[in-house]
């Protein structure tokens, strides 16, 4: 490991994440967790992530197949889609902020209503109970019933049964027995994030273990010990002045981590892109998600997709669909490569994007 280079780590990060495309259930099991985002430009982040890893995947497939898949919507290190095994590790969430008695009674009444109906739309709950409006987390106003359902879902009283038009429909969730060994559970949760995002600089490993408190707020006090155990059991090396970690048994310098000739446009939350400090270390420039940046201040666009080719991120693309036609706007850090292979690879990727969007 003493001869490990940043190039080895970069190749390892790309090749291990871009698995040979497989079925949707197998890809979900391999990833463990897929981050979700509601913005569609030209598709949601979860779909843009899965299209590189699922053979023949099309936009919206995860949502359409969700009721028949072994997957749950929930919080982990952020909100997304979890395997049942990961979901079970995080419940019951027993240390959330305690609800006032009045709110608890509302939740109990709604839970009885959901059990009676089987699956409910938030508007059904709102019509039945008329909870009115409430201030949301960003200072605006939203239906109090929607906020109550969100809280019940997070606390494990409800699960997302399916979506209609992007709206979550809820069903009652069976109670999960408390995990008997919090340390073992925290280690398993840490292993999920490492397996998905490795290789990780030490600062990102610490950040990810800290973010586990979103999924397991009842084990916040376990985070420091979990981080120490993770550093002890993971493989690691000092590279370019930074300690890096990855799953034991893998060798980032091994020839098995070979790169292909495909060009890929990656989602802003793709595992290869997610860790912005690592991105900057690997490719020498800062990528920022600018959807919430005022338009005049954007550098690369509303929903710029990093462009990965031959192990390097050489630019980005903003994609829009107008009258059923894909409209790409492509930008580069330097000049556009003159290599004919690049033009062919970009055309191939845009063709795959059209098929994914069913244009």
């Amino acid at each position: 490991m003493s001869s490990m280079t940043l190039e080895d780590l970069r190749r390892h990060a790309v090749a291990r994440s871009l698995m040979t495309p497989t079925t949707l259930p197998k890809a979900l099991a391999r990833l463990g967790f897929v981050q979700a985002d509601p913005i569609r430009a030209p598709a949601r982040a979860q779909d843009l992530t899965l299209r590189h890893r699922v053979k023949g995947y099309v936009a919206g497939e995860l949502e359409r197949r969700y009721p028949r898949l072994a997957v749950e919507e929930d919080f982990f290190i952020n909100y997304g889609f979890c395997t049942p095994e990961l979901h079970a590790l995080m419940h019951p969430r027993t240390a959330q902020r305690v609800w006032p008695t009045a709110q608890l009674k509302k939740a109990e009444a709604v839970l009885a209503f959901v059990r009676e109906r089987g699956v409910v739309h938030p508007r059904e709950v709102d019509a039945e109970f008329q909870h009115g409006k409430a201030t949301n987390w960003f200072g605006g106003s939203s239906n109090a019933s929607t906020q109550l359902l969100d809280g019940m879902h997070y606390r494990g009283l409800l699960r997302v049964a399916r979506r209609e038009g992007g709206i979550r429909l809820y069903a009652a969730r069976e109670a999960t027995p408390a995990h008997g060994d919090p340390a073992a559970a925290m280690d398993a949760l840490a292993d999920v994030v490492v397996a998905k995002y490795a290789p990780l600089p030490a600062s990102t490993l610490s950040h990810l273990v800290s973010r586990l408190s979103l999924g397991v707020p009842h084990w916040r006090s376990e985070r420091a010990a979990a981080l120490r155990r993770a550093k002890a059991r993971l493989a690691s090396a000092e590279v370019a002045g930074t300690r890096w970690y990855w799953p034991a048994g893998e060798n980032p310098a091994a020839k098995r981590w070979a790169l292909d000739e495909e060009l890929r446009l990656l989602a802003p939350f793709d595992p290869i892109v997610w860790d912005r400090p690592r991105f900057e270390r690997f490719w020498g420039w800062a990528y920022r998600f600018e959807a919430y940046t005022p338009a005049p201040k954007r550098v690369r666009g509303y929903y710029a997709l990093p462009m990965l080719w031959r192990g390097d991120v050489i630019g980005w693309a903003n994609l829009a669909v107008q009258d059923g036609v894909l409209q790409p706007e492509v930008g580069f850090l330097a000049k556009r490569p003159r290599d004919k292979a690049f033009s062919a690879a970009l055309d191939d990727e845009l063709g795959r994007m059209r098929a994914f969007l069913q244009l």
Side-chain angles (χ1 to χ4, degrees):
M1 297 296 181
S2 60
S3 60
M4 189 82 63
T5 67
L6 200 61
E7 174 61 28
D8 291 329
L9 294 171
R10 184 168 61 184
R11 187 177 63 253
H12 181 226
V14 172
R16 74 185 303 277
S17 182
L18 292 172
M19 64 186 80
T20 300
T22 184
T23 65
L24 180 54
K26 288 182 179 178
L28 291 170
R30 168 81 177 269
L31 291 166
F33 170 77
V34 178
Q35 183 172 344
D37 189 82
I39 295 175
R40 191 181 306 188
R44 295 187 177 97
Q46 56 267 36
D47 292 323
L48 291 167
T49 296
L50 289 167
R51 79 181 189 92
H52 294 297
R53 297 162 175 91
V54 177
K55 189 174 182 179
Y57 188 86
V58 296
E61 185 174 345
L62 176 59
E63 183 174 316
R64 288 191 296 273
R65 294 178 58 186
Y66 175 87
R68 304 185 303 278
L69 292 168
V71 67
E72 294 283 346
E73 287 196 37
D74 202 359
F75 278 93
F76 178 40
I77 58 168
N78 38 46
Y79 191 82
F81 298 86
C82 307
T83 62
E85 295 79 10
L86 174 58
H87 189 249
L89 283 171
M90 297 187 292
H91 289 275
R93 290 182 175 137
T94 55
Q96 308 88 329
R97 184 172 61 86
V98 176
W99 270 337
T101 301
Q103 189 78 341
L104 183 59
K105 287 183 177 179
K106 288 179 181 179
E108 291 171 346
V110 169
L111 182 58
F113 178 74
V114 174
R115 284 177 171 150
E116 179 184 344
R117 294 295 183 95
V119 176
V120 301
H121 191 289
R123 66 169 170 258
E124 295 178 76
V125 176
D126 195 50
E128 177 71 17
F129 295 96
Q130 299 180 356
H131 291 139
K133 298 289 185 178
T135 302
N136 53 37
W137 66 272
F138 52 86
S141 178
S142 60
N143 286 338
S145 293
T146 300
Q147 292 188 38
L148 179 62
L149 290 168
D150 286 345
M152 293 173 68
H153 175 217
Y154 182 72
R155 286 163 170 79
L157 300 173
L158 301 176
R159 64 177 296 273
V160 176
R162 64 178 186 275
R163 286 185 179 240
E164 287 184 1
I167 303 297
R168 289 178 291 202
L169 274 64
Y170 295 97
R173 181 178 180 274
E174 296 301 320
T176 301
H179 201 287
D181 188 344
M186 285 293 287
D187 289 348
L189 293 169
D191 286 345
V192 171
V193 294
V194 172
K196 181 173 179 180
Y197 295 108
L200 294 168
S203 58
T204 301
L205 177 61
S206 298
H207 176 60
L208 283 169
V209 173
S210 175
R211 288 187 69 88
L212 291 177
S213 61
L214 290 171
V216 283
H218 44 295
W219 290 335
R220 278 193 178 94
S221 62
E222 298 282 341
R223 290 179 301 174
L227 178 60
R228 289 194 297 270
R229 291 192 300 271
K231 288 181 175 180
R233 71 175 177 277
L234 295 170
S236 70
E238 192 84 13
V239 180
T242 298
R243 174 62 59 174
W244 294 77
Y245 294 88
W246 57 88
E250 293 185 8
N251 177 6
K255 292 182 179 180
R256 63 173 292 203
W257 308 112
L259 302 177
D260 58 33
E261 290 293 308
E262 283 192 11
L263 182 148
R264 293 175 176 86
L265 297 175
L266 303 173
F269 309 117
D270 190 278
I272 296 172
V273 175
W274 187 87
D275 181 11
R276 304 295 193 253
R278 188 185 78 167
F279 185 102
E280 195 164 351
R281 282 188 177 96
F282 279 169
W283 291 296
W285 60 281
Y287 170 70
R288 298 292 182 265
F289 181 57
E290 298 180 310
Y292 301 109
T293 300
K297 296 183 178 181
R298 291 176 189 149
V299 177
R300 298 185 173 88
Y302 173 76
Y303 206 80
L305 307 177
M307 182 188 301
L308 174 71
W309 188 51
R310 293 177 172 173
D312 196 7
V313 181
I314 61 174
W316 61 92
N318 287 275
L319 304 179
V321 177
Q322 297 179 0
D323 299 322
V325 178
L326 184 66
Q327 303 286 347
E329 293 184 2
V330 180
F332 299 92
L333 290 174
K335 293 182 179 179
R336 176 186 174 117
R338 295 182 178 181
D339 191 333
K340 290 183 180 179
F342 168 78
S343 295
L346 178 57
D347 287 344
D348 287 345
E349 172 66 338
L350 293 176
R352 288 190 294 271
M353 183 67 75
R354 292 185 188 95
F356 160 73
L357 296 171
Q358 297 182 291
L359 298 178

